[in-house]
């Protein structure tokens, strides 16, 4: 990857594409690239939907090579949801395709003429930008059909649905998977709204004629890749739990630990959790002829994604993630897997973050907009209200924070405006520290302390005690920032945290790719560099220590069954970035 594509969406006479060298961004990839571009080029005090913000897409450092499980793509900008820096990460095919064309980043700049909407097609011949007015208002799956009819299903597509066009703060960016379904999403932080503000409906990326990226030291790369893949296959989480059940294997685990935030974070266990567990979903899918073991991109050795079909065997949605099953299921008192899957499909189709959308519905239920457990009501809210952009839909589409504000509720489970995912911070205190202090707002993936608190991966830190959580979250946040730059899927973390030889093999893949001699210390240094840039951007955007806090009710309201509150002190939280 040796070039960057910049498109000035507001250039006189229409969008103008310029392909240039990497310059100061040489060596960066994924989150490292997106956060560095935003840090260097976006005024921190700009409006996220204004012309000064930039929308950055970057494949990981080794994406597009034969490195196992490395097809991730990062989307970055200033977030309209948090007001801070944002990197949202997705699987699907786009990362590999973009990397094989040699692009380390696509940067959308400026603002188009009012009402303009464009399609960008990128292939080996260059870049073509054309009017996308006929695609306006299309949901992602209909859009995919039209793109497939024109370009075939070997290309990759990055797109927004109506939520992005309406610039909703919970709007996602969709990425097509191996079967050209727009089912993988850079979900968090309203990145879809920023793509919408740049006037881009869809980016079609075609790597026909291009080859897999070649490592500089093929033998070293190949040997390391073999050891790495073996390590993924032998670890019980990456080799068995995730391939068999997907991430929803966590429903029973988290529920049994008393950390399952049922009914808008009002209790820590859900008595009907087994009805929506990964085991239940997998059994249903096997019986119906779906597929619970599927890679979201080619070359994934873990294969945690899946295909969910209805009772007649027709595709309903991709296998929903644990966080989605929680947000639309246990969080809302909904126990029908088909309803949860319908909601997952609607989120993907309209282009919405499933976490913030489910959290918003949970808040709406608490506010009495629809009854708790009202499955048809939840579908109506997403499909008819958010999808159609009604006034109520606009509130919900702004996420849990805007919904709580509109209906006068204190109990908005958000940090920096972003909804907490499926782990109650009172009973998994390490992830509570991550929610509070992450540069991204409440984001479990930013420092997945659940691994060590509940799954006993990478050590054992008591989830109910404040002790040791700062150090745990700090180390995980540093490691994750680096991992998000490489292009490897975050789920490799289970294996590399537990198995030193698998971690070493991962570093050795990078060394083989670039003919370097990096060590674990260099990985840590990269993570710190990325976090420091992100933190600095947020400070310039106006964030203070007061933004690194959970809502106060998490300190006041005890969570059953352990009767615990969040008791990591403010002083401890403020020490997270002391390294
Ligand atoms: S582990 Fe799952 S999310 Fe990660 S790349 Fe593979 S299928 Fe996609």
């Amino acid at each position: 990857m040796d070039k960057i594509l910049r498109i000035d969406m507001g250039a006189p006479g229409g969008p103008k594409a310029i392909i240039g060298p990497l310059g100061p961004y040489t060596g960066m990839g994924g989150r490292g690239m997106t956060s560095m571009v935003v840090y260097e080029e976006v005024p921190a005090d700009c409006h996220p939907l204004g012309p000064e913000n930039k929308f950055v897409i970057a494949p990981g450092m080794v994406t597009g090579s034969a490195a196992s499980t490395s097809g991730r793509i990062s989307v970055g900008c200033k977030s309209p949801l948090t007001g801070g820096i944002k990197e949202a990460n997705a699987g699907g095919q786009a990362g590999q395709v973009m990397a094989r064309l040699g692009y380390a980043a696509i940067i959308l700049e400026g603002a188009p003429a009012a009402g303009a909407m464009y399609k960008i097609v990128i292939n080996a011949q260059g870049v073509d930008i054309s009017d996308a007015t006929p695609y306006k208002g299309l949901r992602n799956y209909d859009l995919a059909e039209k793109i497939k009819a024109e370009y075939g299903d070997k290309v990759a597509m990055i797109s927004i649905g109506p939520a992005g066009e309406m610039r909703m703060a919970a709007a996602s960016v969709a990425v097509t998977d191996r079967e050209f379904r727009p089912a993988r999403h850079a979900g968090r932080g309203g990145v879809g709204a920023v793509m919408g503000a740049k006037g881009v409906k869809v980016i079609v990326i075609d790597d026909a004629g291009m080859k897999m990226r070649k490592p500089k030291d093929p033998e070293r790369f190949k040997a390391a890749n073999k050891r790495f893949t073996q390590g993924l296959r032998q670890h019980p989480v990456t080799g068995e739990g995730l391939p068999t059940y997907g991430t929803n294997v966590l429903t029973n685990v988290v529920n049994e630990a008393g950390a399952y935030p049922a009914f808008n974070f009002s209790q820590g266990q859900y008595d009907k959790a087994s009805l929506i567990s990964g085991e239940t979903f997998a059994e249903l899918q096997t019986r119906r002829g779906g597929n619970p073991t599927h890679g979201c991109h080619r070359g994934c050795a873990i294969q945690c994604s899946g295909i969910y079909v209805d009772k007649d065997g027709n595709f309903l949605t991709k296998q929903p993630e644990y966080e989605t099953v929680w947000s639309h299921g246990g969080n809302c008192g909904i126990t029908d897997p088909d309803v949860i899957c319908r909601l997952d499909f609607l989120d993907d189709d309209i282009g919405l973050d499933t976490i913030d959308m489910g959290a918003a519905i949970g808040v709406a239920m608490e506010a009495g907009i629809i009854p708790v457990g009202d499955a048809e009501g939840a579908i109506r809210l997403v499909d008819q209200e958010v999808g159609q952009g009604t006034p109520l839909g606009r509130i919900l589409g702004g996420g849990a924070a805007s919904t709580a504000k509109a209906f006068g509720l204190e109990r908005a489970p958000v940090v920096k405006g972003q909804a907490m995912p499926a782990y109650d911070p009172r009973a998994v205190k390490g992830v509570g520290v991550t929610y509070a202090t992450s540069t991204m707002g409440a984001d479990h993936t930013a420092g997945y302390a659940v691994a060590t608190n509940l799954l006993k991966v990478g050590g054992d830190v008591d989830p109910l005690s404040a002790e040791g959580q700062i150090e745990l979250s700090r180390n995980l946040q540093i490691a994750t920032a680096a991992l998000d730059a490489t292009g490897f899927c975050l789920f490799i973390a289970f294996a590399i945290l537990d198995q030193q030889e698998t971690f070493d093999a991962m570093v050795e893949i990078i060394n083989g790719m670039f003919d370097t001699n990096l060590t674990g210390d260099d990985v840590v240094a990269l993570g710190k560099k990325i976090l420091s840039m992100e933190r600095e951007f947020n400070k310039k955007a106006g964030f203070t220590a007061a933004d690194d806090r959970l809502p106060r009710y998490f300190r006041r309201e005890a969570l059953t069954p352990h009767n615990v509150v969040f008791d990591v002190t403010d002083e401890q939280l403020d020490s997270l970035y002391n390294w």
Side-chain angles (χ1 to χ4, degrees):
M1 296 189 294
D2 58 358
K3 55 192 174 186
I4 290 178
L5 168 62
R6 288 177 187 270
I7 304 178
D8 180 357
M9 300 307 301
K16 186 161 184 266
I18 296 175
I19 298 169
L22 298 178
Y25 303 115
T26 301
M28 279 297 188
R31 178 174 169 182
M33 175 67 84
T34 60
S35 287
M36 189 171 174
V37 171
V38 173
Y39 173 74
E40 294 287 350
E41 301 186 17
V42 175
D45 61 352
C46 75
H47 194 288
L49 303 178
E52 295 87 1
N53 199 5
K54 299 197 180 190
F55 179 84
V56 190
I57 310 172
M61 291 158 64
V62 299
T63 302
S65 73
S68 173
T69 321
S70 69
R72 306 295 295 191
I73 193 165
S74 291
V75 177
C77 56
K78 179 175 177 178
S79 163
L81 186 73
T82 69
I85 200 165
K86 175 56 60 181
E87 184 263 359
N89 195 286
Q93 282 299 118
Q96 291 179 337
V97 171
M98 191 176 149
R100 284 171 194 157
L101 282 166
Y103 291 104
I106 299 170
I107 305 174
L108 305 181
E109 309 178 336
M117 186 63 72
Y118 293 99
K119 170 176 72 175
I120 300 170
V121 179
I122 304 168
N123 56 28
Q125 284 71 51
V127 180
D128 181 67
I129 305 168
S130 58
D131 177 37
T133 303
Y135 298 149
K136 270 189 178 179
L138 281 183
R139 294 187 176 188
N140 280 313
Y141 275 84
D142 282 347
L143 177 65
E145 285 305 312
K146 292 206 180 298
I147 295 296
K148 187 160 67 175
E150 194 167 349
Y151 301 95
D153 61 2
K154 300 286 181 273
V155 300
M157 179 181 96
I158 299 172
S159 64
I160 55 170
E165 288 186 54
M166 290 186 272
R167 305 178 190 187
M168 292 178 174
S172 65
V173 169
V175 179
T176 46
D177 65 7
R178 284 162 46 196
E179 291 80 21
F180 206 69
R181 293 176 174 128
R184 314 308 303 185
H185 286 244
R188 309 234 63 196
V191 290
V194 180
M195 186 165 158
K198 298 300 174 203
V200 176
K201 176 71 176 172
V202 59
I203 303 173
V204 181
I205 314 176
D206 181 359
D207 66 349
M210 304 303 289
K211 296 217 161 53
M212 198 174 271
R213 288 175 68 202
K214 292 262 177 297
K216 285 200 168 152
D217 187 338
E219 289 311 313
R220 193 178 179 192
F221 178 92
K222 195 172 162 193
N225 200 26
K226 191 172 173 198
R227 291 198 305 279
F228 178 67
T229 307
Q230 280 167 349
L232 294 179
R233 296 222 163 104
Q234 80 190 28
H235 191 276
V237 176
T238 51
E240 199 180 330
L242 287 172
T244 308
Y245 302 113
T247 53
N248 197 23
V249 69
L250 286 164
T251 291
N252 282 337
V253 176
V254 178
N255 195 51
E256 278 161 24
Y260 190 86
F263 304 112
N264 191 26
F265 290 79
S266 59
Q267 58 191 59
Q269 277 183 330
Y270 183 40
D271 60 356
K272 296 185 176 134
S274 66
L275 299 177
I276 53 173
S277 68
E279 291 82 344
T280 300
F281 270 66
E283 188 276 324
L284 194 60
Q285 284 315 288
T286 305
R287 187 154 38 88
R288 286 178 172 180
N291 179 11
T293 306
H294 170 273
C296 75
H297 65 71
R298 293 190 187 91
C300 171
I302 301 175
Q303 305 221 330
C304 81
S305 74
I307 305 297
Y308 189 96
V309 298
D310 66 15
K311 59 182 171 28
D312 300 318
N314 300 313
F315 175 82
L316 202 51
T317 191
K318 97 280 191 186
Q319 175 175 274
E321 305 296 344
Y322 161 63
E323 288 75 14
T324 307
V325 175
W326 159 78
S327 73
H328 284 305
N331 183 49
C332 295
I334 293 173
T335 56
D336 183 342
D338 286 358
V339 170
I340 293 168
C341 286
R342 174 76 185 142
L343 288 162
D344 179 76
F345 176 84
L346 286 169
D347 288 343
D348 286 354
D349 207 21
I350 297 165
L352 292 160
D353 173 19
T354 60
I355 295 174
D356 239 297
M357 209 50 242
I361 293 173
V363 169
M365 285 176 167
E366 186 163 322
I369 307 305
I370 58 172
V372 173
D374 180 0
E376 288 310 312
I379 289 172
R380 181 177 54 77
L381 289 184
V382 179
D383 194 12
Q384 304 299 317
E385 303 288 352
V386 183
Q388 302 297 329
T390 65
L392 174 58
R394 300 270 181 166
I395 291 167
L396 295 165
S402 86
T403 304
K405 199 167 191 178
F407 293 102
L409 289 186
E410 181 202 3
R411 300 185 76 263
V414 302
V415 179
K416 300 182 178 76
Q418 182 166 286
M420 292 180 196
Y423 314 88
D424 197 298
R426 290 163 289 194
V428 200
K429 289 183 179 162
V431 90
V433 172
T434 299
Y435 291 166
T437 58
S438 164
T439 51
M440 299 291 147
D443 179 352
H444 60 301
T445 67
Y448 193 65
V450 177
T452 310
N453 277 177
L454 298 187
L455 308 177
K456 309 309 174 195
V457 169
D460 182 358
V461 175
D462 180 358
L464 301 177
S465 165
E467 200 178 327
Q469 307 294 3
I470 294 292
E471 191 185 1
L472 173 64
S473 177
R474 177 193 296 130
N475 291 338
L476 288 170
Q477 289 196 54
I478 291 168
T480 303
L483 200 55
D484 285 343
T486 63
F488 288 112
C489 178
L490 181 61
F491 295 150
I492 71 162
F494 295 107
I496 64 172
L497 281 170
D498 264 350
Q499 300 165 178
Q500 183 64 41
E501 68 277 13
T502 310
F503 175 83
D504 293 343
M506 180 201 74
V507 177
E508 202 48 13
I509 289 174
I510 298 170
N511 284 330
M513 188 74 201
F514 300 106
D515 197 18
T516 50
N517 287 301
L518 303 177
T519 65
D521 289 345
D522 296 305
V523 174
V524 170
L526 174 63
K528 286 181 178 174
K529 178 178 175 178
I530 294 168
L531 285 180
S532 297
M533 288 188 292
E534 293 172 349
R535 180 100 173 144
E536 190 58 28
F537 182 92
N538 282 355
K539 272 191 194 161
K540 285 192 206 156
F543 283 44
T544 67
D547 295 292
D548 288 343
R549 302 287 183 263
L550 301 187
R552 291 197 74 87
Y553 69 87
F554 285 94
R555 293 192 181 281
R556 193 175 66 231
E557 296 180 7
L559 182 77
T560 57
H562 297 295
N563 293 319
V564 278
V565 295
F566 186 72
D567 57 358
V568 180
T569 66
D570 289 351
E571 291 70 28
Q572 287 171 322
L573 292 174
D574 291 341
S575 71
L576 189 122
Y577 287 88
N578 297 342
W579 57 58

